[in-house]
Amino acid sequence: MFREWAIELLQTLGEYGFIGIAAGLMVEIIPSEIVLGYGGYLIASGKITFFQALIAGVFGGTMAQLFLYWLGIYGGRPFFDRYGKFLFIQSKHLNAAENWFAKHGTIVIFTARFIPVIRHAISVPAGIAKMPFHHFTILTVAAMIPWTVLFLLIGIELGNHWDQIGRHATAYLKPIIGAALAVLLLYFLFKLWSHHRMSKNN
């Protein structure tokens, strides 16, 4: 039922070209990988250009996360405990995101975008913690670029079978998740090295 409804909605949004892709990502009713997969199909069909789809994907995805960030600032955890289900954010996802943010700091705004479960919810603890807006935005955009490019390319490759992107994306996501975790590990090794060096100099 959801699959048929999602396809119908995307086809409606597709009539507006890259603007429809951006809108679909901003609303976040349908997972971003499916929206971007459809964007790849539109590129393959010649209805929009890759550059238009890329800008729409990065803009729409970033705005969706900024919305959650602002809700985190002004609504806090009580808001999401009460209304999070309407935003498709479950308490267990938010708990995991908060634990990651508390443990690893602001770098997870980039790395967590590629990790299932916490990817959607990670913007909330950033808002609650009042992470600087420009820092949050830069890290979010930096993560949205490779995410958008990946699923647009998969959508182009699948063509008319874009709706099967969830099944085909798994093979691509595993190395991406591994790379994201590697970046996180290198970041903390660097922090430990810097802290050790500063302690030694003092």
Side-chain angles (χ1 to χ4, degrees):
M1 180 68 180
F2 175 78
R3 183 175 179 274
E4 289 75 14
W5 175 83
I7 291 175
E8 184 178 343
L9 176 59
L10 282 175
Q11 288 174 339
T12 300
L13 291 173
E15 295 178 3
Y16 299 93
F18 67 94
I19 295 177
I21 298 301
L25 291 167
M26 289 170 66
V27 175
E28 278 210 335
I29 296 175
I30 304 172
S32 62
E33 52 266 37
I34 298 178
V35 178
L36 292 170
Y38 185 69
Y41 161 72
L42 293 178
I43 295 171
S45 302
K47 296 180 179 179
I48 59 176
T49 67
F50 186 89
F51 180 74
Q52 288 175 326
L54 175 61
I55 296 300
V58 174
F59 177 79
T62 300
M63 289 304 298
Q65 297 308 315
L66 284 173
F67 175 70
L68 294 176
Y69 167 81
W70 285 321
L71 285 180
I73 289 179
Y74 298 109
R77 181 63 192 254
F79 175 88
F80 286 92
D81 286 336
R82 187 170 183 178
Y83 301 109
K85 58 184 179 181
F86 299 109
L87 299 170
F88 306 101
I89 296 179
Q90 300 179 29
S91 294
K92 62 180 180 180
H93 298 161
L94 187 53
N95 290 337
E98 287 183 332
N99 289 336
W100 264 63
F101 190 85
K103 183 178 180 180
H104 302 303
T106 57
I107 187 63
V108 299
I109 299 302
F110 175 81
T111 56
R113 299 295 180 203
F114 310 101
I115 310 296
V117 179
I118 63 172
R119 176 171 60 85
H120 180 57
I122 195 62
S123 299
V124 179
I128 294 174
K130 293 181 170 54
M131 178 179 173
F133 174 78
H134 70 281
H135 194 183
F136 175 86
T137 303
I138 290 172
L139 289 173
T140 300
V141 170
M144 284 305 305
I145 292 173
W147 183 264
T148 300
V149 169
L150 171 65
F151 286 102
L152 288 178
L153 291 176
I154 298 176
I156 292 172
E157 182 179 348
L158 291 176
N160 290 328
H161 302 291
W162 64 269
D163 56 320
Q164 300 177 17
I165 193 166
R167 184 175 63 188
H168 289 270
T170 303
Y172 296 91
L173 284 177
K174 288 182 179 179
I176 289 177
I177 292 171
L181 293 174
V183 169
L184 190 62
L185 177 61
L186 289 173
Y187 172 77
F188 284 104
L189 288 175
F190 176 76
K191 284 191 67 175
L192 287 173
W193 175 79
S194 298
H195 179 73
H196 176 73
R197 186 176 180 182
M198 289 179 63
S199 299
K200 188 176 181 180
N201 290 335
N202 292 334

